[in-house]
Amino acid sequence: MTPTADPQSSISPERLEANRRNAQQSTGPKTEEGKQRSRLNASRHGLTAQVRLLPEAERLAAEAFMKPIVTGFSPVGEHETLLARGIAEAHWRLARARAMEENLFATHIAKYADHSLAGDDPQIADAIHMAQAFAEQTAAFDRLTMYEQRIRRGMERDLKLLESARKERMAAEAKALEEAKLLFQSAQQNGETFDPEAEARENGGFVYPIDRLQAAIRRAYRLSKAQPQADPKEPASNSTQDRLLRSLLGQVA
């Protein structure tokens, strides 16, 4: 088999030199429209502030691919969002690496004639092309494999970091909610005013409106009453905490 002719092999040295001189004289697009096209849709991502240079179709496809992945993680805050986007980008890069691998095979099929062993069977011809492409471009396939491995390691790291960040945030939220509930109950019992915004400045920024605190207190009370007693014959608790809850529920109902 012989490869198809290289298009530049038929160009004379004189013509190549003329092309180089013409290229050196080019000053780029003159009109604003041409300048915009030449920018290749450079964009700056709002989270990282890094410039990304992509063809428009590639950029749109990447964003459409990544958006549901990021949304699926339900990230809260910039840190979690960055990690979720990093995972989505890793998925996109893996898909792109697979496309590159397929394109290596497709390029071989387009560039070389079918092997005589294939006869007239296109499936056999394609199989031979793929085997030949793999044998002739081993280094390229090895680089793709290493590329994919690095992407996977980075994605696994970001997944662990995101899970850790979520657990840490949820624990902080739960702690802040319990503290806010106790402080709200104390304020109600003592006839004081509870300020959710002031509390947020003390608990790391978690704002719990009064209606949410009231709902959380009601639910906690219902759960406490729904839990089975240690001894079914024992009467319901008349502890101080139980009386406080009953009193509070009467005020916030």
Side-chain angles (χ1 to χ4, degrees):
M1 293 188 303
T2 57
T4 57
D6 186 346
Q8 290 197 0
S9 63
S10 59
I11 301 177
S12 67
E14 292 79 11
R15 184 57 186 167
L16 284 173
E17 182 59 29
N19 288 345
R20 292 192 188 97
R21 289 197 302 270
N22 290 335
Q24 291 174 355
Q25 294 174 0
S26 175
T27 58
K30 300 293 193 302
T31 65
E32 187 62 30
E33 181 181 3
K35 291 177 181 178
Q36 290 300 321
R37 284 199 304 270
S38 72
R39 291 171 66 85
L40 290 178
N41 300 297
S43 61
R44 188 182 295 273
H45 193 274
L47 285 171
T48 63
Q50 296 300 309
V51 174
R52 300 189 176 192
L53 192 64
L54 286 174
E56 182 69 4
E58 177 86 356
R59 184 187 67 79
L60 292 175
E63 291 298 329
F65 178 91
M66 293 187 295
K67 184 177 180 180
I69 297 176
V70 175
T71 302
F73 283 111
S74 301
V76 175
E78 184 173 321
H79 180 55
E80 289 185 22
T81 301
L82 282 171
L83 290 171
R85 185 174 177 87
I87 295 167
E89 288 179 344
H91 279 292
W92 171 256
R93 293 171 67 194
L94 284 174
R96 188 169 55 188
R98 296 186 188 105
M100 290 178 183
E101 181 180 79
E102 293 171 359
N103 290 341
L104 287 174
F105 292 130
T107 300
H108 194 283
I109 293 172
K111 191 174 182 180
Y112 293 90
D114 291 345
H115 196 282
S116 58
L117 289 176
D120 294 327
D121 191 322
Q123 292 184 349
I124 295 177
D126 290 346
I128 293 174
H129 278 300
M130 293 175 70
Q132 290 176 324
F134 193 80
E136 295 173 8
Q137 302 185 61
T138 302
F141 284 101
D142 285 346
R143 284 195 297 271
L144 273 177
T145 299
M146 293 176 60
Y147 177 67
E148 288 182 304
Q149 290 173 347
R150 287 197 297 268
I151 294 171
R152 289 188 181 280
R153 286 196 296 268
M155 181 167 60
E156 290 170 1
R157 180 198 64 224
D158 285 347
L159 280 167
K160 290 179 181 178
L161 289 173
L162 178 58
E163 182 63 22
S164 176
R166 286 164 61 92
K167 286 182 178 179
E168 196 174 310
R169 170 180 55 81
M170 292 174 71
E173 285 181 347
K175 180 175 181 292
L177 177 59
E178 287 304 311
E179 291 176 349
K181 284 164 55 181
L182 290 173
L183 291 171
F184 173 67
Q185 292 177 59
S186 175
Q188 290 287 300
Q189 291 296 316
N190 297 315
E192 300 171 349
T193 300
F194 178 81
D195 184 354
E197 297 291 340
E199 170 59 16
R201 289 192 291 272
E202 299 290 332
N203 67 18
F206 299 105
V207 179
Y208 295 107
I210 289 178
D211 58 347
R212 180 175 175 183
L213 294 176
Q214 291 172 338
I217 292 169
R218 291 192 188 97
R219 187 170 187 275
Y221 181 77
R222 291 197 304 271
L223 286 172
S224 70
K225 304 311 293 181
Q227 291 175 353
Q229 298 289 327
D231 185 348
K233 296 180 181 179
E234 291 182 2
S237 171
N238 288 318
S239 66
T240 302
Q241 179 67 19
D242 187 58
R243 290 196 301 273
L244 286 173
L245 283 171
R246 288 176 180 275
S247 175
L248 179 63
L249 288 171
Q251 294 181 38
V252 302

